[in-house]
Every structure is written in structure tokens, then in C-alpha cells.
Amino acid sequence: MLPAEPVDDADVPRWIAELGLPGLVDIHVHFLPESVTRKVWAYFDRAEEHFGYAWPINYRTDEATRVDTLRRLGVLRFAPLSYPHKPGMAAWLIDWARDFAARTPAAVPTATLYPEPGVADYLAAALDAGVRCVKVHVQVGGFDPRDPLLDPAWQLLAEAGVPVVAHCGDGPLSGNFTGLDVFEQVIAANPGLVAVLAHAGMPDYQRALELAKRYEHVYLDTTMVGTPFTERTMPLPADWPTRLVEVADRIVLGTDFPQIPYAYVEQLRAVHHWAAADDRLGTGFLRAVLHDTPARLLRVEDSGKI
């Protein structure tokens, strides 16, 4: 039987404990250099101009407080994702993320990329240094993931088996190269690529599920999916929990903390509702999504020992 769903952030540790988990593993969290963070937050402050609706950042605090917030929520490990929007930025972000992970025990080392000369070199160096997750943001980067400059990078990642969290869907805004049909070409050309479709491919949820069924290394993260905020504009199919049954082992926790315009608990409540809606999901599904599957992808199977 499922425990009672968490009522607020303070109630999350109780819920985790009653699920029999040591904590959460979040594959989609954002920590960036301070100068970049300010620019990202300024963008969301003008969300009504960009999206047509407000996007108040719920966790607008300093870096140390944000790390402590995740700890108090029961997040044992997380992937601090960064992403460039122009050439020459990715290598700098990788260096910053390495330093952040070194001083933040719960953070795993992450990297990112951009189609530019030298991308394979700095990515290979990052992999050699122990990177466990790579972020690709097609919409913000405004690049074609099929760019030949990226071919050796995709090959490196496929061989390494390091998960790539790819924001490649059309939500909340489409771009010149967004759309799951575009990124599927990258997946098809690199069969070993472990691709985590950010936001479950929002808003093309059905196509994302189809890709997970078609390719054995495709996963979907839960970031913002099914929350009341997102349901207003990009709602899930009514039978979403039933559709998840076939790919229950390919769903991983992601949240977009701290940029989310609501409390962290809202994402957890959404996942809880899916588990409760179909008896074939239940507690086993929650344990897999919240801890076991992302821990395996990030190679932190020892997360229960922290």
C-alpha cells in the first residue's frame, strides 16, 4: 500500500521513509555560475513576454541555501545541469560544474556541449575526469543536434554509456531544431546513446513514450510533468499512468529545481498520483523513479550509504 502523499516540502522526508527509500536521486537540477544564474532568473522574470504566463521562481536563494534545501528535502544525489547558448561557453561551464561537484558531496560531475570545433576534445577530457551526466539544451542553444560537428561527441557518449539529458521537445517554446523527430535521428545514428528526454518530451508525451519503447536506452524524466502549473498549458493524456506501465523502468525523477514556479513537493505529488492510479505501478514504480533508476544511470548505486 502506498503511504499518504506528501502535503508540503517539510513532509517529503516522511514520505520517502515510508516508501523504504534512503532518499531521492534527481537527474534534472540546475546549478550555474552566479553570473549565468542571474541572467536565467532575469529571463524567467519576463516569462509573460516569452510564454504568455508568469513563472515566479520558487527557490530564489543563494547557492548554499539551495544546496541545503535539497538536503532537507531528502535529495541524496543530484545532477547539476548547465547549458551553453553560444560557442566557447561549454568548456567553461564544464570546469565550473567540476568545481561545484568537488565542493558539493551530493552533486555528481556533469558536462554539456555545443556544436563547435574542439567539442570532442573537451567532452573526452570531461569523461576521463569522471563526468556522469551531460546536458543538451537544443531550444536554448538554438543548434541542430544533427550538426556534423557533434558526430564524434555523440559517439563518445554512446561508447561511455553516460546519460544525456536532452531538452529537445517543443515545450515550453519551440525552436528551429526542437521536436522529438529531430533528436530521434541522433538516437537512431548512435544506438548506444543513453538519452533521457527532458520533460518527457513535453508536449509530445506520446511520441516520447514511443521512443522509449523503440530504443532500449531511451528514458523520460519527470521534470515539470503533471504538475498543476504545467497541466494548464501542456496537459498529460488522461490515461498517462496506464501508458507508463509498459515503460515503468524508463522513468526517472527530474524537477528543474530551483527554477520551478511552485514547491518541489508538487513534482513528487504528481508522480505519486501516477503510481496510485494504476495497480501495476504502485510502490515499486515510485522506488524506481525516485531512486533506483536515476541512481543506476548516474552510477551512484551507493547512494543509500550517504
Side-chain angles (χ1 to χ4, degrees):
M1 179 180 295
L2 290 176
E5 65 184 73
V7 296
D8 54 24
D9 280 5
D11 192 36
V12 171
R14 183 273 310 167
W15 179 68
I16 294 171
E18 291 184 11
L19 284 170
L21 290 175
L24 306 175
V25 178
D26 192 333
I27 204 169
H28 193 145
V29 164
H30 292 294
F31 279 88
L32 301 157
E34 183 62 28
S35 61
V36 181
T37 296
R38 288 196 301 268
K39 291 178 181 177
V40 170
W41 287 356
Y43 178 86
F44 283 107
D45 286 342
R46 300 175 62 182
E48 289 181 272
E49 299 175 29
H50 304 305
F51 311 128
Y53 47 86
W55 192 305
I57 295 171
N58 200 56
Y59 297 96
R60 192 190 294 260
T61 57
D62 61 75
E63 180 183 286
T65 301
R66 280 178 271 138
V67 170
D68 189 59
T69 296
L70 290 174
R71 181 191 62 78
R72 288 185 288 105
L73 282 161
V75 178
L76 293 175
R77 289 277 204 256
F78 62 89
L81 306 180
S82 61
Y83 45 89
H85 61 272
K86 60 183 179 180
M89 190 175 180
W92 170 61
L93 288 173
I94 293 171
D95 288 343
W96 184 90
R98 182 188 64 241
D99 291 342
F100 176 79
R103 66 175 185 270
T104 311
V108 302
T110 63
T112 187
L113 54 76
Y114 195 87
E116 58 191 337
V119 58
D121 295 332
Y122 63 67
L123 190 57
L127 292 171
D128 288 344
V131 157
R132 301 189 200 177
C133 188
V134 174
K135 171 68 171 181
V136 175
H137 206 312
V138 175
Q139 184 245 313
V140 169
F143 61 82
D144 189 338
R146 302 162 300 184
D147 190 313
L149 284 168
L150 290 176
D151 287 349
W154 297 130
Q155 292 167 13
L156 280 171
L157 291 169
E159 291 169 3
V162 170
V164 177
V165 178
H167 186 138
C168 52
D170 288 322
L173 292 175
S174 61
N176 292 331
F177 303 105
T178 58
L180 299 186
D181 57 330
V182 175
F183 202 75
E184 182 181 5
Q185 295 177 48
V186 175
I187 297 169
N190 300 275
L193 187 68
V194 180
V196 181
L197 303 181
H199 308 277
M202 184 185 299
D204 197 355
Y205 305 114
Q206 181 55 37
R207 182 66 179 274
L209 290 174
E210 291 169 359
L211 293 182
K213 294 175 186 177
R214 188 176 308 150
Y215 300 97
E216 64 175 320
H217 300 302
V218 169
Y219 295 75
L220 280 58
D221 86 23
T222 66
T223 305
M224 300 193 74
V225 180
T227 61
F229 178 85
T230 305
E231 284 292 284
R232 294 179 303 176
T233 54
M234 291 172 282
L236 289 168
D239 62 345
W240 176 250
T242 299
R243 298 188 191 192
L244 289 179
V245 170
E246 208 174 335
V247 293
D249 61 341
R250 306 287 191 81
I251 312 300
V252 294
L253 176 65
T255 62
D256 244 355
F257 176 93
Q259 266 73 270
I260 45 178
Y262 46 77
Y264 191 96
V265 70
E266 291 297 327
Q267 187 66 71
L268 304 179
R269 286 166 61 89
V271 180
H272 182 105
H273 292 166
W274 306 339
D278 194 300
D279 292 340
R280 293 169 294 178
L281 296 177
T283 302
F285 173 75
L286 283 178
R287 289 173 176 162
V289 172
L290 302 173
H291 179 276
D292 298 350
T293 305
R296 175 172 56 81
L297 289 183
L298 296 177
R299 302 178 186 181
V300 293
E301 290 87 348
D302 64 337
S303 57
K305 301 177 183 178
I306 300 172

